[in-house]
Amino acid sequence: MARAVVAGNWKMNTSVAEARALAAELRESIGHMEGVDRVLCPPFPYLGMVRDAVTGSTIAVGAQNMSQHEKGAFTGEVSPGMVAELCTHVILGHSERRALYGETDEAVNLKVEAALKAGLTPIICVGETLAQREAGAAEAVVERQLVKAIDGVETPGALIVAYEPVWAIGTGVPATPDLAADIMGGVIQRVLESTYGATAASATPLLYGGSVTADSVRGFVEQECIHGALVGGASLRAEEFAEIVRTTAEVKG
Ligand code: PGA
């Protein structure tokens, strides 16, 4: 059985003071829970500060991206080693990186390999656009993204996969639990099973992402094949994020 995981993707939000306050508040409310892993993913400049703010709790910290390169002349980039010095997780292949920064399946694959080599747990994001879904290509897109992301990856134990349909991200309209379960318990599970075998596949946490709120999370995590959530907007509201975590713990516990 996969662990339950709730990760907060703060995206490019918060000031130093806001990030510190948010982390401190979450440390108080959800800093010492069992049964659900909690991961905060602030912007790069705040990784160290947020890590310090949650030290002594069981909250983990993650980055939202990283370079696939180890070091060198890559102006503006952040290496896997730099990320690994400050935190334990890294979101890779988020649809905003794919759409706005031209991140390809190949680049995501290199980043997944580099993250694992650095000892990080990658949260691999996959998901179709509305046009792809309407064209009946949702499954094929998710399959291609996941197959390529884990190509050559031999250590499934450290992976987390997030299904984030692009049309549900930041829209306030999440997918339905049935639709998400269709993809997650379907093609995603199939790809993991055929790559790693049933045991390792069933131990890989699968997160739903896309307009998750305290109100909508229950329906998703009640699905057996959904182990948690990757939360954007609602992760910036301490009380709501804590509620999402509590609901997930209650349902999965
Ligand atoms: P959202 O973002 O919860 O604001 O839709 C989710 C994500 O992009 O990870």
Side-chain angles (χ1 to χ4, degrees), residues 193-235:
E193 270 176 28
S194 66
T195 313
Y196 300 119
T199 309
S202 67
T204 303
L206 305 185
L207 316 185
Y208 167 76
S211 297
V212 171
T213 60
D215 288 336
S216 65
V217 69
R218 181 177 295 273
F220 291 101
V221 294
E222 275 177 353
Q223 301 281 339
E224 208 183 319
C225 61
I226 303 181
H227 309 109
L230 178 54
V231 186
S235 72

Side-chain angles (χ1 to χ4, degrees), residues 7 9 11 91 94-96 125 164 168-172 209-213 230-235:
N9 175 9
K11 307 194 181 184
I91 297 171
H94 190 280
S95 62
E96 286 151 17
C125 300
E164 298 204 306
I169 294 178
T171 59
S211 297
V212 171
T213 60
L230 178 54
V231 186
S235 72

Side-chain angles (χ1 to χ4, degrees), residues 41-123:
C41 303
F44 280 134
Y46 308 154
L47 282 175
M49 182 190 75
V50 169
R51 183 222 26 207
D52 291 346
V54 300
T55 296
S57 76
T58 52
I59 291 176
V61 179
Q64 301 170 15
N65 177 38
M66 55 164 225
S67 169
Q68 65 266 44
H69 302 291
E70 235 168 77
K71 63 175 180 174
F74 300 100
T75 300
E77 290 293 294
V78 177
S79 77
M82 294 169 188
V83 171
E85 273 195 87
L86 297 172
C87 59
T88 50
H89 292 65
V90 60
I91 297 171
L92 295 175
H94 190 280
S95 62
E96 286 151 17
R97 305 260 358 135
R98 295 179 192 260
L100 303 173
Y101 299 97
E103 212 163 280
T104 61
D105 289 328
E106 289 70 24
V108 174
N109 178 238
L110 292 172
K111 291 183 181 200
V112 170
E113 296 263 23
L116 290 167
K117 196 167 157 217
L120 291 159
T121 298
I123 302 174

